[in-house]
Amino acid sequence: MLPYLGKAMTNLFRKPSTEKFPVGDAPQAAERYRGRISYNPDVCVNCGMCMRVCAPQCMHRDIETLENGDQKITFTFDLTSCTFCGMCADFCSRHSITLTDDYMMVGTQPEDFIVTGSFIKKAPPPKPKLTPEQIAEMKAKAEAAKAAKAAAKAEEPKADA
Amino acid sequence: MFEKLIDNSMAKSPWIFHVNAGSCNGCDIELVSVLTPRYDAERFGFRLTGTPRQADIVVVSGPITLQTRDRLRRVLEQVPEPYVVVSLGSCPKSGNVFKGSYSIDGPLDKWTHVDVSVAGCTPKPEAIVAALAKATEILKEKRKEMRK
Ligand code: SF4
Ligand code: SF4
Ligand code: SF4
Protein backbone atom coordinates (compact mmCIF):
# COMPACT_ATOMS: atom_id res chain seq x y z
CA MET A 1 0.00 0.00 0.00
CA LEU A 2 2.76 2.41 1.00
CA PRO A 3 4.70 2.34 -2.31
CA TYR A 4 1.49 3.14 -4.17
CA LEU A 5 0.81 6.06 -1.89
CA GLY A 6 4.33 7.32 -2.46
CA LYS A 7 3.91 7.05 -6.21
CA ALA A 8 0.57 8.82 -6.05
CA MET A 9 2.08 11.66 -4.03
CA THR A 10 5.04 12.14 -6.41
CA ASN A 11 2.72 12.05 -9.41
CA LEU A 12 0.59 14.75 -7.85
CA PHE A 13 3.50 17.15 -7.88
CA ARG A 14 5.14 16.13 -11.17
CA LYS A 15 4.65 18.32 -14.16
CA PRO A 16 2.16 16.92 -16.68
CA SER A 17 3.50 14.69 -19.44
CA THR A 18 1.21 16.29 -22.01
CA GLU A 19 3.00 18.33 -24.64
CA LYS A 20 2.10 22.02 -24.68
CA PHE A 21 1.92 22.18 -28.49
CA PRO A 22 0.07 23.87 -30.34
CA VAL A 23 0.68 26.49 -27.65
CA GLY A 24 4.26 27.52 -28.28
CA ASP A 25 6.75 26.03 -30.71
CA ALA A 26 6.53 22.54 -32.09
CA PRO A 27 9.06 20.22 -30.48
CA GLN A 28 12.21 19.18 -32.29
CA ALA A 29 12.01 15.93 -34.23
CA ALA A 30 14.22 13.01 -33.28
CA GLU A 31 17.75 12.84 -34.60
CA ARG A 32 17.94 11.75 -38.26
CA TYR A 33 14.20 12.17 -38.68
CA ARG A 34 13.20 12.12 -42.34
CA GLY A 35 10.89 15.04 -43.05
CA ARG A 36 10.40 17.63 -45.77
CA ILE A 37 12.69 17.14 -48.75
CA SER A 38 15.19 19.82 -49.60
CA TYR A 39 16.62 19.90 -53.09
CA ASN A 40 19.69 21.84 -54.11
CA PRO A 41 19.71 22.27 -57.89
CA ASP A 42 23.17 23.86 -57.93
CA VAL A 43 24.95 20.56 -57.36
CA CYS A 44 22.55 18.24 -59.18
CA VAL A 45 24.02 16.64 -62.32
CA ASN A 46 20.73 15.31 -63.72
CA CYS A 47 21.78 11.68 -63.50
CA GLY A 48 18.19 10.59 -62.79
CA MET A 49 19.19 8.09 -60.11
CA CYS A 50 16.71 9.57 -57.65
CA MET A 51 13.83 9.02 -60.05
CA ARG A 52 14.91 5.46 -60.62
CA VAL A 53 14.90 4.46 -56.96
CA CYS A 54 11.75 6.31 -55.88
CA ALA A 55 9.03 3.72 -55.31
CA PRO A 56 6.00 6.06 -55.44
CA GLN A 57 7.41 8.03 -58.40
CA CYS A 58 7.24 11.20 -56.39
CA MET A 59 9.50 13.40 -58.46
CA HIS A 60 9.00 14.66 -61.91
CA ARG A 61 11.57 16.12 -64.31
CA ASP A 62 10.85 18.79 -66.90
CA ILE A 63 13.40 19.38 -69.63
CA GLU A 64 12.95 22.58 -71.54
CA THR A 65 15.29 23.47 -74.39
CA LEU A 66 16.19 27.13 -74.50
CA GLU A 67 16.92 29.16 -77.63
CA ASN A 68 20.70 28.93 -77.32
CA GLY A 69 20.63 25.16 -77.08
CA ASP A 70 21.00 25.03 -73.29
CA GLN A 71 18.51 22.96 -71.34
CA LYS A 72 16.55 24.13 -68.34
CA ILE A 73 16.01 21.15 -66.07
CA THR A 74 13.41 21.35 -63.33
CA PHE A 75 12.90 18.75 -60.64
CA THR A 76 9.60 18.83 -58.79
CA PHE A 77 8.94 16.78 -55.67
CA ASP A 78 5.37 16.24 -54.56
CA LEU A 79 5.45 15.65 -50.81
CA THR A 80 1.95 14.21 -50.74
CA SER A 81 3.29 11.40 -52.88
CA CYS A 82 6.47 10.75 -50.94
CA THR A 83 6.88 7.95 -48.43
CA PHE A 84 9.96 9.57 -46.85
CA CYS A 85 12.06 6.45 -47.25
CA GLY A 86 15.21 8.46 -47.94
CA MET A 87 16.27 6.32 -50.89
CA CYS A 88 16.70 9.33 -53.17
CA ALA A 89 18.97 11.03 -50.67
CA ASP A 90 21.01 7.84 -50.19
CA PHE A 91 21.47 7.29 -53.90
CA CYS A 92 22.20 10.88 -54.83
CA SER A 93 25.97 10.89 -55.27
CA ARG A 94 26.04 14.69 -55.23
CA HIS A 95 24.07 15.02 -51.98
CA SER A 96 21.69 17.28 -53.78
CA ILE A 97 18.67 15.84 -51.97
CA THR A 98 18.44 15.82 -48.20
CA LEU A 99 15.56 15.03 -45.91
CA THR A 100 15.24 17.74 -43.28
CA ASP A 101 13.69 17.37 -39.84
CA ASP A 102 10.78 19.67 -40.69
CA TYR A 103 7.70 17.53 -40.19
CA MET A 104 5.05 20.27 -40.22
CA MET A 105 3.74 19.43 -43.66
CA VAL A 106 0.21 20.68 -43.26
CA GLY A 107 -1.58 22.60 -45.98
CA THR A 108 -4.77 23.28 -47.81
CA GLN A 109 -3.41 23.82 -51.33
CA PRO A 110 -1.35 21.49 -53.52
CA GLU A 111 1.35 24.17 -53.74
CA ASP A 112 2.04 23.75 -50.03
CA PHE A 113 3.53 20.36 -50.76
CA ILE A 114 5.70 21.11 -53.75
CA VAL A 115 9.48 21.28 -53.51
CA THR A 116 11.09 22.37 -56.72
CA GLY A 117 14.36 23.58 -58.16
CA SER A 118 15.81 24.11 -61.60
CA PHE A 119 19.18 24.59 -63.17
CA ILE A 120 20.62 25.22 -66.61
CA LYS A 121 22.51 22.45 -68.37
CA LYS A 122 24.96 24.01 -70.80
CA ALA A 123 24.94 22.62 -74.32
CA PRO A 124 28.32 21.10 -75.40
CA PRO A 125 30.43 23.50 -77.53
CA PRO A 126 29.82 23.08 -81.29
CA LYS A 127 32.21 20.74 -83.12
CA PRO A 128 34.85 22.58 -85.18
CA LYS A 129 34.02 22.44 -88.90
CA LEU A 130 36.79 20.99 -91.07
CA THR A 131 37.39 21.72 -94.73
CA PRO A 132 37.87 18.76 -97.16
CA GLU A 133 41.54 19.68 -97.58
CA GLN A 134 42.11 19.47 -93.83
CA ILE A 135 40.44 16.07 -93.71
CA ALA A 136 42.57 14.79 -96.59
CA GLU A 137 45.69 16.06 -94.85
CA MET A 138 44.76 14.31 -91.61
CA LYS A 139 44.05 11.09 -93.51
CA ALA A 140 47.44 11.24 -95.21
CA LYS A 141 49.12 11.77 -91.84
CA ALA A 142 47.37 8.75 -90.40
CA GLU A 143 48.42 6.61 -93.40
CA ALA A 144 52.04 7.68 -93.04
CA ALA A 145 52.02 6.84 -89.34
CA LYS A 146 50.54 3.41 -90.10
CA ALA A 147 53.19 2.70 -92.76
CA ALA A 148 56.00 3.73 -90.42
CA LYS A 149 54.65 1.41 -87.76
CA ALA A 150 54.44 -1.52 -90.19
CA ALA A 151 58.00 -0.92 -91.32
CA ALA A 152 59.21 -0.88 -87.74
CA LYS A 153 57.43 -4.15 -87.07
CA ALA A 154 58.95 -5.78 -90.16
CA GLU A 155 62.42 -4.78 -88.96
CA GLU A 156 61.98 -6.04 -85.42
CA PRO A 157 62.34 -9.85 -85.96
CA LYS A 158 65.54 -9.27 -87.96
CA ALA A 159 67.05 -7.38 -85.07
CA ASP A 160 66.20 -10.33 -82.81
CA ALA A 161 67.84 -12.91 -85.09
CA MET B 1 -29.75 33.46 -30.17
CA PHE B 2 -29.95 29.71 -29.93
CA GLU B 3 -28.19 29.39 -33.24
CA LYS B 4 -25.30 31.39 -31.92
CA LEU B 5 -25.09 29.32 -28.77
CA ILE B 6 -25.12 26.11 -30.78
CA ASP B 7 -22.52 27.44 -33.19
CA ASN B 8 -20.23 28.50 -30.39
CA SER B 9 -20.51 25.19 -28.61
CA MET B 10 -19.96 23.24 -31.80
CA ALA B 11 -16.93 25.30 -32.72
CA LYS B 12 -15.40 24.51 -29.35
CA SER B 13 -15.84 20.78 -29.72
CA PRO B 14 -15.51 19.36 -33.22
CA TRP B 15 -16.04 15.64 -33.31
CA ILE B 16 -13.88 13.46 -35.47
CA PHE B 17 -14.86 10.44 -37.49
CA HIS B 18 -12.00 8.36 -38.74
CA VAL B 19 -12.29 6.35 -41.96
CA ASN B 20 -9.67 3.76 -42.70
CA ALA B 21 -9.72 3.44 -46.47
CA GLY B 22 -7.21 0.63 -46.75
CA SER B 23 -4.45 2.23 -44.76
CA CYS B 24 -1.43 0.24 -43.59
CA ASN B 25 -2.40 1.20 -40.01
CA GLY B 26 0.58 3.52 -39.55
CA CYS B 27 -1.54 6.63 -39.86
CA ASP B 28 -4.35 5.18 -37.76
CA ILE B 29 -2.02 4.45 -34.88
CA GLU B 30 -0.71 8.01 -34.99
CA LEU B 31 -4.22 9.44 -35.01
CA VAL B 32 -5.06 7.39 -31.94
CA SER B 33 -1.86 8.54 -30.27
CA VAL B 34 -3.04 12.12 -30.74
CA LEU B 35 -5.83 11.32 -28.29
CA THR B 36 -3.52 9.78 -25.69
CA PRO B 37 -2.37 11.81 -22.65
CA ARG B 38 0.91 12.80 -24.30
CA TYR B 39 -0.69 14.83 -27.10
CA ASP B 40 -4.16 14.99 -25.62
CA ALA B 41 -6.24 16.50 -28.40
CA GLU B 42 -9.29 16.09 -26.20
CA ARG B 43 -8.26 19.20 -24.29
CA PHE B 44 -9.26 21.15 -27.42
CA GLY B 45 -12.59 19.41 -27.58
CA PHE B 46 -11.72 16.87 -30.28
CA ARG B 47 -13.39 13.60 -29.72
CA LEU B 48 -13.56 10.43 -31.76
CA THR B 49 -17.14 9.54 -32.48
CA GLY B 50 -18.51 6.20 -33.49
CA THR B 51 -20.95 7.41 -36.10
CA PRO B 52 -20.53 9.72 -39.10
CA ARG B 53 -23.89 11.32 -38.31
CA GLN B 54 -22.32 13.18 -35.41
CA ALA B 55 -19.08 14.09 -37.10
CA ASP B 56 -17.75 17.54 -37.96
CA ILE B 57 -14.35 16.46 -39.19
CA VAL B 58 -13.81 13.33 -41.27
CA VAL B 59 -10.26 12.04 -41.20
CA VAL B 60 -9.43 9.68 -44.05
CA SER B 61 -6.32 7.52 -44.16
CA GLY B 62 -5.29 5.00 -46.74
CA PRO B 63 -5.23 4.91 -50.53
CA ILE B 64 -8.98 4.16 -51.10
CA THR B 65 -9.04 0.50 -52.03
CA LEU B 66 -11.80 -0.98 -54.15
CA GLN B 67 -13.15 -2.70 -51.03
CA THR B 68 -13.42 0.51 -49.02
CA ARG B 69 -14.43 2.89 -51.80
CA ASP B 70 -18.17 2.36 -51.57
CA ARG B 71 -18.10 2.29 -47.80
CA LEU B 72 -16.21 5.56 -47.79
CA ARG B 73 -18.81 7.14 -50.03
CA ARG B 74 -21.62 5.82 -47.88
CA VAL B 75 -19.96 7.27 -44.79
CA LEU B 76 -19.45 10.65 -46.42
CA GLU B 77 -23.06 10.77 -47.49
CA GLN B 78 -24.15 10.45 -43.89
CA VAL B 79 -22.07 13.31 -42.52
CA PRO B 80 -24.16 16.44 -41.96
CA GLU B 81 -23.09 19.62 -43.71
CA PRO B 82 -20.87 21.49 -43.11
CA TYR B 83 -17.96 19.13 -42.61
CA VAL B 84 -14.25 19.20 -43.20
CA VAL B 85 -12.29 16.36 -44.75
CA VAL B 86 -8.74 15.86 -43.55
CA SER B 87 -6.47 13.66 -45.64
CA LEU B 88 -4.08 11.91 -43.31
CA GLY B 89 -0.70 10.90 -44.67
CA SER B 90 0.45 10.63 -48.25
CA CYS B 91 -1.85 7.76 -49.20
CA PRO B 92 -5.24 9.45 -49.74
CA LYS B 93 -3.76 12.29 -51.78
CA SER B 94 -1.75 10.21 -54.23
CA GLY B 95 -1.80 6.51 -53.48
CA ASN B 96 1.77 6.72 -52.20
CA VAL B 97 3.62 3.44 -52.76
CA PHE B 98 0.38 1.78 -53.84
CA LYS B 99 0.04 4.17 -56.78
CA GLY B 100 -1.02 2.35 -59.92
CA SER B 101 -2.15 -0.76 -58.09
CA TYR B 102 -5.09 -2.69 -59.56
CA SER B 103 -6.87 -2.61 -56.23
CA ILE B 104 -6.98 1.10 -55.46
CA ASP B 105 -9.32 3.73 -56.76
CA GLY B 106 -7.96 7.01 -55.51
CA PRO B 107 -7.04 9.74 -54.95
CA LEU B 108 -9.45 11.05 -52.38
CA ASP B 109 -10.11 14.23 -54.40
CA LYS B 110 -12.02 12.06 -56.82
CA TRP B 111 -14.67 11.29 -54.23
CA THR B 112 -14.93 14.36 -52.04
CA HIS B 113 -13.46 17.77 -51.27
CA VAL B 114 -10.21 17.63 -49.33
CA ASP B 115 -9.86 20.68 -47.10
CA VAL B 116 -6.70 19.97 -45.16
CA SER B 117 -3.95 17.52 -45.98
CA VAL B 118 -1.02 16.35 -43.94
CA ALA B 119 1.95 14.88 -45.74
CA GLY B 120 4.10 12.25 -44.12
CA CYS B 121 4.23 8.53 -43.92
CA THR B 122 3.18 8.63 -41.20
CA PRO B 123 2.79 12.25 -40.12
CA LYS B 124 4.06 13.07 -36.66
CA PRO B 125 1.28 13.53 -34.05
CA GLU B 126 2.17 17.21 -33.71
CA ALA B 127 1.51 17.68 -37.41
CA ILE B 128 -1.85 15.92 -37.03
CA VAL B 129 -2.75 18.22 -34.12
CA ALA B 130 -1.83 21.23 -36.29
CA ALA B 131 -3.98 19.87 -39.11
CA LEU B 132 -6.94 19.38 -36.80
CA ALA B 133 -6.52 22.94 -35.53
CA LYS B 134 -6.58 24.18 -39.11
CA ALA B 135 -9.61 22.02 -39.86
CA THR B 136 -11.44 23.63 -36.95
CA GLU B 137 -10.82 27.08 -38.42
CA ILE B 138 -12.12 25.99 -41.81
CA LEU B 139 -15.14 24.40 -40.18
CA LYS B 140 -15.94 27.66 -38.40
CA GLU B 141 -15.81 29.54 -41.67
CA LYS B 142 -17.95 26.99 -43.46
CA ARG B 143 -20.55 27.17 -40.76
CA LYS B 144 -20.58 30.97 -40.94
CA GLU B 145 -21.10 30.80 -44.68
CA MET B 146 -23.94 28.34 -44.31
CA ARG B 147 -25.76 30.62 -41.87
CA LYS B 148 -25.77 33.46 -44.40
S1 SF4 C 1 19.18 14.93 -57.40
FE1 SF4 C 1 21.00 13.63 -57.22
S2 SF4 C 1 20.31 11.60 -57.94
FE2 SF4 C 1 18.77 13.07 -58.62
S3 SF4 C 1 19.39 13.65 -60.70
FE3 SF4 C 1 20.32 15.17 -59.31
S4 SF4 C 1 22.37 14.37 -58.84
FE4 SF4 C 1 21.18 12.66 -59.73
S1 SF4 D 1 12.15 9.87 -49.84
FE1 SF4 D 1 11.63 7.96 -50.93
S2 SF4 D 1 9.55 8.31 -51.66
FE2 SF4 D 1 10.35 10.31 -51.10
S3 SF4 D 1 11.19 11.15 -52.98
FE3 SF4 D 1 12.87 10.09 -51.95
S4 SF4 D 1 12.87 8.03 -52.79
FE4 SF4 D 1 10.89 8.94 -53.32
S1 SF4 E 1 0.67 7.29 -45.58
FE1 SF4 E 1 2.18 5.71 -45.06
S2 SF4 E 1 1.71 5.20 -42.92
FE2 SF4 E 1 -0.07 6.29 -43.74
S3 SF4 E 1 -1.45 4.67 -44.47
FE3 SF4 E 1 -0.17 5.31 -46.22
S4 SF4 E 1 1.55 3.89 -46.23
FE4 SF4 E 1 0.58 3.75 -44.22
Side-chain angles (χ1 to χ4, degrees):
Chain A
M1 186 67 192
L2 217 67
Y4 301 116
L5 254 181
K7 195 81 192 160
M9 289 312 280
T10 48
N11 274 350
L12 256 185
F13 295 104
R14 254 200 356 218
K15 78 181 203 320
S17 62
T18 306
E19 274 185 13
K20 291 251 172 18
F21 184 78
V23 180
D25 287 340
Q28 186 84 28
E31 203 183 325
R32 298 177 71 97
Y33 183 84
R34 297 192 299 268
R36 185 187 291 273
I37 287 176
S38 115
Y39 170 62
N40 178 4
D42 298 334
V43 294
C44 177
V45 290
N46 189 27
C47 63
M49 204 58 196
C50 47
M51 299 170 74
R52 203 179 271 208
V53 297
C54 180
Q57 294 293 302
C58 144
M59 63 281 270
H60 164 85
R61 173 170 62 184
D62 277 315
I63 302 182
E64 186 190 332
T65 309
L66 303 179
E67 283 155 19
N68 58 358
D70 292 356
Q71 285 178 325
K72 186 180 178 202
I73 292 165
T74 310
F75 272 85
T76 310
F77 297 79
D78 177 14
L79 295 181
T80 55
S81 195
C82 178
T83 173
F84 301 92
C85 57
M87 285 288 264
C88 51
D90 286 352
F91 274 85
C92 179
S93 53
R94 304 298 311 250
H95 304 292
S96 165
I97 302 174
T98 40
L99 276 80
T100 62
D101 64 353
D102 173 21
Y103 55 81
M104 270 301 162
M105 292 171 283
V106 180
T108 51
Q109 302 300 323
E111 298 86 71
D112 299 342
F113 299 101
I114 298 290
V115 173
T116 180
S118 56
F119 60 95
I120 302 285
K121 183 180 164 199
K122 282 258 179 282
K127 274 200 185 138
K129 270 263 191 293
L130 297 176
T131 53
E133 292 91 67
Q134 271 173 323
I135 293 174
E137 196 184 315
M138 276 161 86
K139 259 189 189 159
K141 247 187 205 165
E143 291 282 317
K146 223 182 197 174
K149 219 177 191 178
K153 221 175 201 174
E155 230 140 77
E156 239 171 48
K158 269 182 217 157
D160 274 350
Chain B
M1 198 193 87
F2 272 122
E3 266 181 10
K4 202 160 189 196
L5 185 70
I6 290 171
D7 277 0
N8 278 346
S9 336
M10 281 177 108
K12 288 244 166 71
S13 181
W15 285 17
I16 303 169
F17 185 77
H18 173 212
V19 189
N20 177 338
S23 133
C24 78
N25 249 326
C27 288
D28 311 332
I29 291 273
E30 294 297 304
L31 181 66
V32 173
S33 85
V34 162
L35 302 164
T36 60
R38 171 130 182 233
Y39 302 102
D40 205 7
E42 289 196 353
R43 73 198 142 131
F44 310 115
F46 295 116
R47 190 172 173 280
L48 267 188
T49 166
T51 158
R53 288 162 204 255
Q54 298 172 342
D56 300 303
I57 299 176
V58 181
V59 180
V60 183
S61 59
I64 330 289
T65 56
L66 292 181
Q67 296 271 340
T68 54
R69 177 190 59 197
D70 297 333
R71 290 167 177 86
L72 172 75
R73 285 170 63 194
R74 214 156 71 205
V75 163
L76 288 172
E77 274 161 18
Q78 294 177 35
V79 184
E81 290 280 350
Y83 65 97
V84 176
V85 179
V86 177
S87 136
L88 187 58
S90 298
C91 276
K93 281 293 271 188
S94 64
N96 203 353
V97 279
F98 311 110
K99 198 186 283 170
S101 161
Y102 65 91
S103 62
I104 72 167
D105 194 2
L108 183 58
D109 312 52
K110 199 163 142 190
W111 303 113
T112 178
H113 54 92
V114 179
D115 301 289
V116 185
S117 359
V118 204
C121 181
T122 87
K124 242 172 112 62
E126 284 92 350
I128 301 178
V129 171
L132 291 179
K134 193 164 242 169
T136 317
E137 277 168 34
I138 294 175
L139 185 67
K140 227 185 258 176
E141 239 142 68
K142 278 195 175 180
R143 196 163 279 143
K144 226 187 257 167
E145 232 158 69
M146 233 179 85
R147 289 285 185 221
K148 267 181 203 164

